[in-house]
């Protein structure tokens, strides 16, 4: 990677030298006319040479306009050629990130690590956003959190950075830190559908099912997610309310709208296993028990240990969709709630504020 980048910079420098030399010699009447022509010809060759990587990058990007599993497989070889011939650092970050998600993880890590140690402060920190994902995927949450926080400390304000950091903190169970960065994200007007989904997961863990449902409904009103987590969370909420057929439907949507990724919460085969566990009368209510007692298991992407032969429990009635528009800055991130976290990480008991919230969102 270092060698490729050096060659790219040498080509760029040579291009500037040829253009400058050609311009200087062009205005010298005593010199032969062929001299500037030679330099301009060399500059043209260098322009074409420097454009090869960009050509391959553009070809790959065009293929990805159709975001399907097949398109990612077809595009990755062109992205690799783009890196080989040389593209700018922003393009390198995109390629490294896509390699983490859909291609060779180690090649992606190599690209992002190289950029994270470079002199360009902007791309140095931007590369850390994706590099942290590599260590999360490897199961090293502490290192992933450390890299993401370092980028924040250096002034990087990026939606994906907040999404990544909050994902790691939620998985680690550090709810106090999670809520701190969710508030910071919303204070900087960086909320996104991915943040809404993280909030849904947080409230599922808190067993605040009505609030989780309100947030998730808001997410699906804004967009049709192309990744699996929101559909899993929707299925969990439906199952909590005993609506197992709707839970199966939510998981089945994944096959139609989501692409496979190295970062996926579950593989398609695992999603099919979850669907089978819900469809089977012998394991259906065991799945509900997992959802109600240990929702963290599913949210982390672990395969649940399901009891067999449980009878259908009494389940609460599915609330009707609230007409109130969801405001992300009003959830889990108020100053009062942050002060509560000084004494607790997670409390499932209802406070006066919780009861007031339920009254506002109930029929």
């Amino acid at each position: 990677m270092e060698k490729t980048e050096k060659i790219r910079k040498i080509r760029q420098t040579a291009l500037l030298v040829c253009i400058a030399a050609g311009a200087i010699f062009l205005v010298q009447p005593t010199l032969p006319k062929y001299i500037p022509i030679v330099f301009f010809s060399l500059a043209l060759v260098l322009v074409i040479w420097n454009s090869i990587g960009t050509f391959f990058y553009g070809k790959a990007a065009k293929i990805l306009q159709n975001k399907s599993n097949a398109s990612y497989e077809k595009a990755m070889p062109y992205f690799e050629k783009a890196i080989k011939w040389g593209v700018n650092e922003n393009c390198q970050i995109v390629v490294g990130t896509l390699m983490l998600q859909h291609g060779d993880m180690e090649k992606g890590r190599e690209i992002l690590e190289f950029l994270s140690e470079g002199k360009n402060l902007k791309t140095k920190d931007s590369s850390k956003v994706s590099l942290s994902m590599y260590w999360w995927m490897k199961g090293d949450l502490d290192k992933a959190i450390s890299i993401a926080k370092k980028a924040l400390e250096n002034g990087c304000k990026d939606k994906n950075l907040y999404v990544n950091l909050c994902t790691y903190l939620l998985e680690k169970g550090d709810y106090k830190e999670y809520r701190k960065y969710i508030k910071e994200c919303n204070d900087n007007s960086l909320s996104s559908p991915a943040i809404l989904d993280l909030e849904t997961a947080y409230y599922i863990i808190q067993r605040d099912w009505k609030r989780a449902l309100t947030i998730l409904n808001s997410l699906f009103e804004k967009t049709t997610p192309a990744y699996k987590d929101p559909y899993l969370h929707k299925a969990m909420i439906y199952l909590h309310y005993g609506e197992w057929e709707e839970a199966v439907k939510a998981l089945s949507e994944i096959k139609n709208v989501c692409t496979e990724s190295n970062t996926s919460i579950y593989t398609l085969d695992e999603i099919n296993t979850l669907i089978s566990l819900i469809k089977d009368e012998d394991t259906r209510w065991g799945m509900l028990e997992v959802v109600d007692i240990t929702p963290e298991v599913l949210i982390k992407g672990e395969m649940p240990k399901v009891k067999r032969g449980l009878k259908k429990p009494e389940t609460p009635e599915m609330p009707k969709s609230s007409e109130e528009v969801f405001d992300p800055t009003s959830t889990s991130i108020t100053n009062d709630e942050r002060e509560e976290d000084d004494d607790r990480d997670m409390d499932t008991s209802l406070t006066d504020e919780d009861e007031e919230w339920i009254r506002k969102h109930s029929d």
Side-chain angles (χ1 to χ4, degrees):
M1 188 64 206
E2 183 176 359
K3 182 179 178 181
T4 300
E5 189 62 14
K6 283 182 178 180
I7 292 173
R8 185 177 75 87
K9 289 182 178 180
I10 289 172
R11 292 202 311 260
Q12 290 178 330
T13 302
L15 173 61
L16 294 175
V17 169
C18 287
I19 293 174
I24 292 171
F25 291 134
L26 186 64
V27 297
Q28 301 294 325
T30 60
L31 293 176
K33 292 183 179 180
Y34 71 84
I35 293 179
I37 293 175
V38 169
F39 279 101
F40 285 134
S41 298
L42 288 173
L44 179 60
V45 171
L46 288 167
V47 167
I48 296 172
W49 193 1
N50 287 336
S51 300
I52 294 175
T54 304
F55 167 77
F56 285 124
Y57 182 89
K59 188 173 181 66
K62 186 175 182 179
I63 293 172
L64 285 186
Q65 289 179 356
N66 175 24
K67 293 184 178 180
S68 64
N69 293 323
S71 66
Y72 281 110
E73 291 179 7
K74 189 176 180 180
M76 291 315 298
Y78 291 109
F79 278 128
E80 290 182 10
K81 289 180 180 180
I83 291 294
K84 180 179 178 180
W85 283 96
V87 287
N88 66 52
E89 292 181 343
N90 287 323
C91 291
Q92 291 176 38
I93 291 175
V94 172
V95 175
T97 302
L98 287 171
M99 284 183 173
L100 286 185
Q101 296 172 333
H102 300 281
D104 188 327
M105 288 177 53
E106 296 304 324
K107 284 185 180 179
R109 175 195 57 77
E110 181 184 348
I111 293 168
L112 295 167
E113 279 189 345
F114 176 79
L115 293 172
S116 72
E117 297 168 358
K119 296 180 180 180
N120 186 327
L121 294 179
K122 186 175 181 180
T123 53
K124 183 176 182 177
D125 290 327
S126 296
S127 64
K128 289 185 173 71
V129 177
S130 296
L131 181 59
S132 67
M133 289 171 52
Y134 172 83
W135 295 106
W136 167 64
M137 294 158 70
K138 287 292 186 180
D140 193 337
L141 281 174
D142 289 333
K143 188 161 186 175
I145 291 169
S146 175
I147 292 172
K149 284 187 175 181
K150 184 64 176 178
L152 274 178
E153 291 168 4
N154 290 342
C156 181
K157 301 296 180 183
D158 183 283
K159 285 184 180 181
N160 291 329
L161 177 56
Y162 280 101
V163 169
N164 289 356
L165 178 56
C166 289
T167 297
Y168 312 150
L169 292 169
L170 192 63
E171 183 169 322
K172 188 176 179 180
D174 192 341
Y175 303 120
K176 183 177 179 180
E177 282 285 284
Y178 164 83
R179 289 167 70 157
K180 169 188 171 182
Y181 287 107
I182 283 287
K183 182 180 189 306
E184 187 175 311
C185 174
N186 288 318
D187 285 348
N188 286 286
S189 301
L190 294 173
S191 184
S192 66
I195 289 292
L196 295 183
D197 183 55
L198 284 169
E199 282 286 73
T200 299
Y202 171 78
Y203 280 111
I204 288 175
I205 292 171
Q206 294 279 39
R207 281 67 161 182
D208 192 340
W209 298 96
K210 288 187 178 181
R211 193 177 297 197
L213 178 59
T214 300
I215 298 170
L216 193 64
N217 284 340
S218 176
L219 188 159
F220 277 95
E221 287 170 6
K222 295 176 185 295
T223 187
T224 300
Y227 64 107
K228 300 172 184 176
D229 302 57
Y231 301 94
L232 172 70
H233 300 152
K234 183 195 287 189
M236 292 174 70
I237 293 172
Y238 275 124
L239 197 53
H240 165 75
Y241 288 106
E243 302 285 345
W244 68 268
E245 290 179 334
E246 291 298 321
V248 168
K249 183 178 177 181
L251 290 176
S252 298
E253 288 182 69
I254 289 173
K255 302 174 185 178
N256 300 322
V257 298
C258 299
T259 55
E260 285 295 274
S261 166
N262 296 332
T263 60
S264 291
I265 187 83
Y266 287 109
T267 66
L268 282 179
D269 286 342
E270 290 171 334
I271 290 295
N272 287 329
T273 298
L274 295 180
I275 291 173
S276 297
L277 289 170
I278 298 173
K279 283 184 173 182
D280 189 339
E281 293 182 3
D282 193 41
T283 53
R284 179 179 304 154
W285 308 122
M287 276 291 290
L288 186 151
E289 183 181 69
V290 171
V291 166
D292 279 355
I293 298 177
T294 55
E296 300 91 343
V297 169
L298 292 169
I299 288 172
K300 290 180 181 179
E302 300 172 2
M303 291 307 295
K305 296 179 181 179
V306 179
K307 293 180 182 177
R308 294 182 172 274
L310 296 183
K311 294 182 180 180
K312 180 181 179 180
E314 291 186 12
T315 55
E317 184 178 351
M318 186 81 177
K320 295 181 180 179
S321 298
S322 170
E323 295 181 357
E324 182 177 344
V325 177
F326 172 68
D327 177 6
T329 62
S330 69
T331 69
S332 81
I333 52 176
T334 64
N335 289 332
D336 290 341
E337 286 182 334
R338 286 184 69 195
E339 290 173 3
E340 289 174 11
D341 272 340
D342 290 339
D343 299 320
R344 61 180 172 84
D345 279 340
M346 181 174 69
D347 185 354
T348 58
S349 61
L350 292 178
T351 64
D352 292 340
E353 290 181 358
D354 293 329
E355 292 177 353
E356 177 64 22
W357 190 94
I358 292 173
R359 282 195 292 273
K360 288 181 179 179
H361 291 77
S362 300
D363 292 335

